[in-house]
Amino acid sequence: MQKSSHTLNRTPAMPFTPFHLGPGLLLGLLALRWLDLPAVLVASVLVDIRAALVFFGVLDGPLHGPFHTFLGATLLGVVLIAVSLPVRPTLDSVLAWLRLAQEPSIKRIVAGACVGVWLHIVLDAILYADMAPLAPFPGNPLLGLVSVTAVYIGCLVAGVLGVGLYVLAASGLIELLPRSAGR
């Protein structure tokens, strides 16, 4: 009898990277005063680039490799910060058009990158037995903390709430940033 791909003892065939955008969007919008939204969103999926390359046969090795650790994800976050600093001001017109204008800030970019990559690690560590999020220390203390179903539903709900929050803010019904903060 074949085991379900949703058991904790087996890694599913393909990581569900888009699910990470839901919590990233919601958290990024709720903390827009302190987090750079583009950094949070990019960071929340950046961790899976290597996993996708492994999945599609471009790289060899475990699906959840060195970047699926807090240490490896932090290194990715540093790379994202370095790339974001010169690029971020060019996003201002897009963010203004989306009604998400933020003043570019090194503190926000650093915080957003760290929150995004670490959130990814926490969510995946709950699901996947092949992860060692605290590497170089072995094991995965987060594995099975909540059910697989709860994580996926939580990500979907966070995404729906994030989109709803964005729509309310973009329509002017709520303010995500006080007028004096970040604009």
Side-chain angles (χ1 to χ4, degrees):
M1 179 175 189
Q2 186 176 8
K3 285 188 174 186
S4 165
S5 66
H6 289 286
T7 63
L8 294 176
N9 297 324
R10 185 169 172 243
T11 301
M14 178 64 182
F16 286 89
T17 303
F19 279 90
H20 290 280
L21 290 171
L25 177 63
L26 181 61
L27 187 57
L29 289 172
L30 289 174
L32 198 59
R33 182 180 211 161
W34 303 281
L35 302 176
D36 185 75
L37 185 61
V40 174
L41 294 175
V42 171
S44 70
V45 296
L46 181 65
V47 176
D48 271 343
I49 287 179
R50 184 196 167 280
L53 294 173
V54 170
F55 179 79
F56 290 111
V58 177
L59 293 176
D60 288 328
L63 193 61
H64 296 106
F67 295 132
H68 273 82
T69 66
F70 285 108
L71 182 59
T74 301
L75 293 174
L76 281 177
V78 168
V79 170
L80 177 60
I81 292 163
V83 170
S84 294
L85 290 173
V87 172
R88 176 58 176 80
T90 63
L91 296 177
D92 285 347
S93 62
V94 173
L95 291 172
W97 182 77
L98 292 171
R99 298 179 185 233
L100 293 170
Q102 278 181 297
E103 184 178 315
S105 155
I106 293 172
K107 287 181 183 179
R108 280 193 194 112
I109 291 170
V110 169
C114 290
V115 165
V117 295
W118 293 338
L119 179 61
H120 187 113
I121 299 307
V122 168
L123 291 170
D124 276 8
I126 292 169
L127 300 176
Y128 303 120
D130 65 333
M131 283 186 59
L134 302 175
F137 304 104
N140 183 350
L142 300 176
L143 182 64
L145 193 62
V146 296
S147 73
V148 172
T149 302
V151 172
Y152 283 126
I153 289 173
C155 288
L156 285 172
V157 168
V160 169
L161 291 173
V163 169
L165 186 60
Y166 167 72
V167 168
L168 289 172
S171 65
L173 294 173
I174 62 169
E175 289 243 355
L176 294 175
L177 282 174
R179 293 214 182 262
S180 61
R183 291 188 194 185

